Every structure is written in structure tokens, then in C-alpha cells.
Amino acid sequence: MHGRRLLTLVLSCLISACAAEEAGEPGETSTPLDERAEIGLQIAPVPLKLEGADRDVVGLGSYLVNAASACVDCHSCPTYAPGESPFTGGRGRLDAANYLGGGVPMGQGIVAPGLTPDTNGLPGGLTREQFVAAMRTGRSPHQPDHVLRVMPWPLYRHLSDQDLGAMYEYLRAIPPAQPGTCTRPGE
């Protein structure tokens, strides 16, 4: 049994080396654009500032923010463009004007903050380190004794550093927005 595993490993390495040689110079590997990054770029509801940014990282961040999590439901007010709510027969087109601008009332006086870049280009006014810490601990850097009870940080804390970094880079690439009018999440 040990011999078969070793043979499989050796064959796998040889196949990888041959694929790398076909892709370019010997010893180089070619990584195609991550399919999730391409989807993320296609579904971004707002124009993205990609100058000086890694397109694939921003695309992956868009995929995570727009397809794999529900950031828009709590951080966009309203969530959908007029007549576009999928819950009432619409196609689900997001409201670009107020996209991730915050302002969603969550009850008990809690209002979701905006996640778009501030005047310094920081999403929600947070540095990358503050953003990652908030996602991992559920604590706001502005109120460290306060635990974010509405945000699903207990789930997001398990995202990889790469995924959280991609989300942050995506948020840096979107335009600033202000909240519109809504009465609850997902409206």
C-alpha cells in the first residue's frame, strides 16, 4: 500500500511538472484566473477602481461580498433597485446608488455602518488590520468593549487571511455611498 501511494505521488508531481512546462518556461507554473474572481468582477453592482489594484484579488473580494455572504442585506439601504427585489418578482439587481453605504436599521437603535471608502480610501474608515480584527473578534475598533451582536462575525472569523484581505481590497475599490431609505435588512 505504501508503494502505491508513493507511485501516485511521484506520478502526480511529474504530471504537474509537465503541465508547468507546457504553460511556459520549465519550472514555471501558470495559474488561470480564479473562476470566483471572474464571477466577482461580473457581478459587482458598481464601477470598480482597479488602477493600482490586483484585479484577481478585487474580483475574489467581490465574489465573497456579493455572492458568498450577505453583506449587502445589512449594509445597503435599500438593498435592491426599485422593483428589483427577488422577493417580489424582481431580478435582484442591487441598488448601486446606496450600495454598502450603511444606514440599515437593525432594531434597538442599531444601524449598520457603511462599508464604502472614506475620504482617506479606508472602507468604513477601517484600516486593513482593524477590518480583519473586527471580522475575527466581532469588536468595533471604535468601541472595543462592544461586541457586534447583529453581524455574523462568528461565521466570518473562519475565513482565511487571503479571503478577508480580498474582501477589504474589494471594498477599497468601490465608490463611496450614503444610505438611502429603508426600514429593515434586505429591503
Side-chain angles (χ1 to χ4, degrees):
M1 188 70 167
H2 238 16
R4 281 196 177 149
R5 274 194 238 154
L6 181 59
L7 179 60
T8 301
L9 179 62
V10 169
L11 287 174
S12 177
C13 289
L14 287 172
I15 290 168
S16 295
C18 289
E21 284 187 14
E22 287 178 20
E25 296 295 317
E28 286 185 20
T29 59
S30 174
T31 306
L33 177 64
D34 184 327
E35 182 181 17
R36 296 173 302 159
E38 194 59 41
I39 292 168
L41 292 169
Q42 291 172 10
I43 65 172
V46 293
L48 301 174
K49 290 188 329 183
L50 294 173
E51 186 177 324
D54 183 320
R55 181 181 185 277
D56 293 349
V57 171
V58 172
L60 176 60
S62 174
Y63 178 83
L64 294 167
V65 167
N66 295 308
S69 64
C71 301
V72 69
D73 281 342
C74 295
H75 294 280
S76 291
C77 183
T79 302
Y80 300 102
E84 291 289 333
S85 173
F87 302 108
T88 58
R91 296 180 338 184
R93 189 168 55 88
L94 299 176
D95 178 67
N98 307 109
Y99 177 70
L100 298 180
V104 178
M106 307 303 285
Q108 299 180 1
I110 300 170
V111 177
L115 299 178
T116 62
D118 65 8
T119 56
N120 295 315
L122 301 176
L126 303 176
T127 65
R128 182 186 187 106
E129 293 75 25
Q130 290 172 326
F131 175 80
V132 170
M135 294 292 275
R136 294 228 189 274
T137 67
R139 296 189 185 278
S140 166
H142 308 296
Q143 296 175 309
D145 294 335
H146 175 72
V147 176
L148 303 170
R149 299 208 181 274
V150 177
M151 189 177 135
W153 65 268
L155 301 174
Y156 297 150
R157 69 182 169 167
H158 299 295
L159 290 171
S160 70
D161 289 342
Q162 178 186 11
D163 287 348
L164 290 174
M167 292 171 79
Y168 186 81
E169 291 304 314
Y170 170 70
L171 295 173
R172 284 181 35 152
I174 64 175
Q178 296 297 315
T181 304
C182 61
T183 58
R184 65 186 180 282
E187 188 173 89

